[in-house]
């Protein structure tokens, strides 16, 4: 129920600078930065963190110091900027799937303009469908839907006079991460992935591998998500890399593993050396059995587990989904256009419902006639556009209400996308559209719904912040459209740059696409392609997928979050282990806090020095990773980076083990510094 006594920080009758050129430009800048960082993080780890609070903190600091911005301008800055992060997550979770469809049939659509169009359309769809829902979900249910990130962000904006102190810690984290990234990714003083693997000949524990990408962004993500989720994530990795892989490596001959790699496209043929695990056809062995078994079998088991985990998460929210959809019917009535029906207070002005109607029709028509999108006839593409709008209206409502209850970080986007993809494939089968020709079309529907649902969740949090501070909803909605379009331009460029193999990747056998390799696993994208192929082309190894399905069912029956466990089982242990390190540090900090009987409110915890420093680590590490990856893509800068690389010299001087130990010592120091920062008042 709405709170009739609620009064926003800036009353409706107050006229204040809000939708200004400087606020839009600053918001677009932050959207570009955090959008690119999110692309990098999502491709590597399959995870994202909310950017709204760090953008608000930085906006307050820079705005007060250099631009003399008002609280409403700062709100527009964070609203515009946050669109980049949510759209980037939706893009990366689905569109890389084009690369993994049957016989490479989708690779032609993995181009910049197709990614740009789908990102913009998905972002616009998410914002469009939220226009008629704002009064129902944000205003009327102000007391029942807390929208945790939106509320915290509103509190940050209101506490703007403290912005300098808040931002100082986040900037320290940013600077620390940049310095660490220079030492690790440019000078190579810090090893990127220390690892230890037992020999295949070991009778007791063959080809078991422990490794870690010891980067600032992974430690920061682990601290933010906390010890529980980080522990479940790494548990999945432990099962895959220290149980399943050693078991399969001891049972299966090398030729059988190689044959499976050929079947699923990771190895050209049994006579050709290379591929995942570095196959040697002369000796019939792999140089890395662990990687060979992972790509041949465990990734498919993990894909089944992620699909089932996402679907289970969705099923658990069915009561919420039903109530959300019922509530949306009333919301549309409440959101009727009031133009010409008397004066509307500034804080209640939404964009017209005509914008929603004509915008939806325009999206369907553009999808039908744009040649960059898959489909061999206008009629087929019209059906795809119609499915996008229908599924979009439903899952935007679901996404908005769910994030209102449990926050954007826990939004089951993967489950919604899986349900959309499966529903689309079943519709295609019902009208006789089967085979690889229709796989890209199905992925377009799933991709746009994923982007729309992710953006709707972020939009809802932004509108909640605006409601608390007293913003004008119409200006926020326009800002979200602008942010979606501008950030999409850079998101597509970032995806394409990161997909281009660098000289180092080529030296390690990655020749065509970096996305899908060990460098950028893109777990959700490969999963979406696996599902589309399995349903439409009937060519999936269901025996491995079903093992993963029942693995998730088992975890759920044990009371463990199956989706987090499944993502951990799918990803390399090198990703989840450093994330767990960050989560463990958060666990120790929380334990010490509890032991000292110090009670902290959720808002204080969100704005604590540990969280802000960790946010800086995530943003700094990810942005530095993007910049260095782009530099490595140019020949002139790649030559300079090669000259600055000290790895060979240090390895010769200290040995491989000594080089790894130094890297782990730097990572441990970063963990200690994060702990020390988090313990400060």
């Amino acid at each position: 129920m709405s709170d009739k006594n609620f009064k926003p920080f800036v009353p409706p009758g107050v006229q204040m600078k809000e939708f200004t050129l400087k606020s839009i430009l600053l918001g677009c800048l932050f959207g570009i930065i955090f959008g690119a960082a999110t692309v990098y993080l999502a491709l590597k780890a399959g995870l994202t963190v909310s950017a709204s609070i760090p953008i608000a903190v930085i906006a307050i600091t820079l705005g007060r110091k250099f631009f003399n911005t008002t609280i409403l301008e700062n709100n527009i800055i964070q609203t515009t900027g946050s669109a980049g992060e949510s759209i980037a997550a939706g893009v990366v979770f689905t569109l890389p799937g084009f690369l993994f469809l049957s016989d490479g049939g989708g690779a032609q659509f993995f181009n910049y303009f197709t990614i740009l169009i789908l990102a913009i359309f998905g972002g616009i769809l998410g914002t469009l469908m939220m226009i008629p829902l704002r009064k129902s979900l944000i205003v009327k249910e102000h007391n029942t839907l807390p929208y945790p990130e939106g509320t915290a962000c509103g509190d940050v904006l209101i506490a703007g006079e403290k912005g300098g102190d808040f931002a100082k810690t986040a900037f320290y984290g940013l600077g620390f991460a940049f310095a660490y990234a220079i030492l690790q990714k440019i000078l190579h003083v810090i090893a990127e992935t220390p690892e230890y693997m037992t020999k295949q000949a070991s009778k007791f524990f063959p080809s078991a591998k422990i490794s870690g990408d010891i980067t600032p962004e992974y430690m920061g993500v682990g601290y933010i998500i906390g010890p529980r989720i980080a522990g479940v994530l790494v548990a999945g990795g432990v099962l895959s890399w220290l149980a399943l892989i050693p078991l399969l490596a001891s049972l299966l001959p090398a030729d059988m593993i190689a044959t499976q790699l050929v079947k699923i496209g990771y190895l050209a043929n049994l006579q050709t050396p290379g591929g995942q695990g570095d196959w040697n056809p002369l000796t019939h062995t792999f140089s890395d059995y662990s990687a060979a078994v992972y790509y041949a079998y465990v990734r498919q088991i993990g894909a089944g587990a992620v699909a089932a985990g996402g679907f289970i998460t969705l099923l658990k929210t069915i009561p919420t989904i039903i109530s959300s959809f019922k509530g949306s019917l009333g919301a549309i009535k409440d959101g009727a256009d009031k133009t010409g029906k008397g004066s509307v207070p500034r804080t209640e002005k939404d964009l017209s419902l005509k914008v929603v109607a004509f915008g939806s029709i325009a999206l369907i028509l553009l999808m039908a006639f744009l040649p960059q999108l898959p489909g061999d006839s206008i009629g087929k593409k019209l059906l795809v556009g119609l499915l996008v709008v229908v599924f979009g209206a439903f899952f935007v409502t679901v996404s908005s209400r769910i994030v209102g209850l449990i926050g954007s970080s826990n939004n089951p986007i993967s489950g919604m996308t899986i349900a959309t993809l499966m529903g689309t494939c079943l519709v295609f089968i019902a009208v006789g559209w089967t085979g690889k020709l229709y796989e890209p079309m199905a992925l377009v529907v799933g991709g746009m719904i994923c982007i729309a649902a992710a953006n709707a969740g972020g939009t809802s949090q932004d509108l909640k912040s605006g409601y608390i501070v007293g913003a004008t909803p119409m200006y926020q909605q326009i800002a979200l459209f602008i942010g979606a379009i501008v950030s999409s331009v850079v998101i597509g460029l970032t995806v394409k740059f990161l997909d281009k193999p660098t000289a180092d990747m080529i030296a390690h056998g990655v020749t065509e696409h970096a996305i899908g390799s060990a460098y950028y696993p893109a777990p959700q994208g490969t999963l979406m392609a696996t599902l589309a192929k399995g349903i439409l082309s009937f060519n999936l190894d269901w025996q491995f997928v079903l093992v993963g399905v029942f693995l998730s069912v088992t975890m759920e029956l044990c009371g463990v979050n199956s989706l987090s466990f499944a993502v951990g089982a799918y990803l390399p242990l090198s990703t989840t282990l450093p994330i767990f390190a960050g989560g463990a540090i958060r666990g120790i900090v929380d334990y010490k806090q509890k032991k000292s009987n110090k009670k902290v409110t959720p808002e204080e915890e969100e704005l604590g020095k540990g969280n802000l420093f960790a946010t800086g680590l995530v943003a700094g590490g990810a942005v530095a990773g993007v910049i260095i990856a782009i530099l490595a893509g140019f020949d002139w800068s790649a030559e300079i980076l090669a000259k600055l690389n000290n790895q060979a010299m240090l390895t010769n001087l200290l040995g491989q083990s000594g080089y790894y130990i130094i890297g782990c010592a730097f990572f441990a120091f970063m963990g200690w510094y994060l702990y020390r920062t988090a313990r400060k008042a």
Side-chain angles (χ1 to χ4, degrees), residues 50-236:
S50 176
S52 294
I53 292 173
I55 291 175
V57 169
I58 297 169
I60 290 167
T61 307
L62 297 182
R64 285 170 61 86
K65 195 166 185 178
F66 300 109
F67 301 103
N68 194 30
T69 52
T70 66
I71 185 173
L72 297 187
E73 285 179 305
N74 288 335
N75 181 59
I76 289 293
I77 292 171
Q78 76 85 17
T79 297
T80 310
S82 65
E85 175 258 336
S86 55
I87 291 171
V91 167
V92 174
F93 286 168
T94 52
L95 300 190
F98 281 127
L99 295 174
F100 314 115
L101 297 177
S102 299
D103 301 329
Q108 61 179 308
F109 300 110
F110 194 71
N111 61 73
Y112 174 71
F113 286 106
T114 302
I115 294 170
L116 173 66
I117 290 166
L118 293 176
I120 291 174
F121 284 5
I124 287 174
L125 181 67
T127 303
L128 269 181
M129 296 300 174
M130 268 305 300
I131 291 172
L133 297 176
R134 189 193 69 86
K135 283 187 173 67
S136 173
L137 299 181
I138 309 298
V139 179
K140 286 199 166 187
E141 300 203 44
H142 176 61
N143 289 334
T144 53
L145 293 176
Y147 288 98
E149 289 95 344
T151 300
C153 200
D155 291 340
V156 171
L157 290 165
I158 291 172
E161 66 273 10
K162 299 178 184 177
D165 292 331
F166 286 154
K168 195 181 293 183
T169 306
F171 281 127
Y172 280 153
L174 201 74
F176 192 106
F178 259 95
Y180 190 102
I182 290 169
L183 289 172
Q184 183 178 52
K185 299 181 188 297
I186 294 179
L187 301 178
H188 290 271
V189 173
I190 304 171
E192 291 200 44
T193 312
E195 64 179 36
Y196 172 77
M197 183 170 66
T198 61
K199 295 179 180 179
Q200 173 64 13
S202 171
K203 291 183 178 179
F204 304 105
F205 209 33
S207 297
K209 184 192 285 187
I210 294 178
S211 59
D213 293 333
I214 49 174
T215 62
E217 60 268 26
Y218 285 171
M219 179 171 283
V221 166
Y223 187 92
I224 290 168
I225 66 177
R228 174 65 181 171
I229 298 175
V232 173
L233 270 173
V234 81

Side-chain angles (χ1 to χ4, degrees), residues 5 45 73 120 295 342 369 411 433 475 653:
N5 297 318
E73 285 179 305
I120 291 174
Y295 282 98
F369 289 99
N411 194 4
W433 297 356
Y475 290 149
L653 185 67

Side-chain angles (χ1 to χ4, degrees), residues 107 113 227 286 300 392:
F113 286 106
F286 292 96
Q300 294 192 76

Side-chain angles (χ1 to χ4, degrees), residues 100 102 260 263-264 299-301 303-304 307 439 526-546 549:
F100 314 115
S102 299
Q260 176 66 14
K263 178 183 176 183
I264 58 180
R299 261 171 71 112
Q300 294 192 76
I301 293 171
E439 292 171 8
T526 51
L527 167 64
M528 300 309 163
T530 300
L531 286 174
K533 287 189 295 184
I535 297 173
L536 291 176
S537 298
F538 311 104
N539 62 353
L540 195 62
D541 285 326
W542 285 102
Q543 65 272 36
F544 304 122
V545 173
L546 287 173
V549 168

Side-chain angles (χ1 to χ4, degrees), residues 227-237 555 560-566 568-569 580:
R228 174 65 181 171
I229 298 175
V232 173
L233 270 173
V234 81
M555 290 300 107
V560 175
N561 185 315
S562 59
L563 184 57
S564 297
F565 186 90
F580 175 68

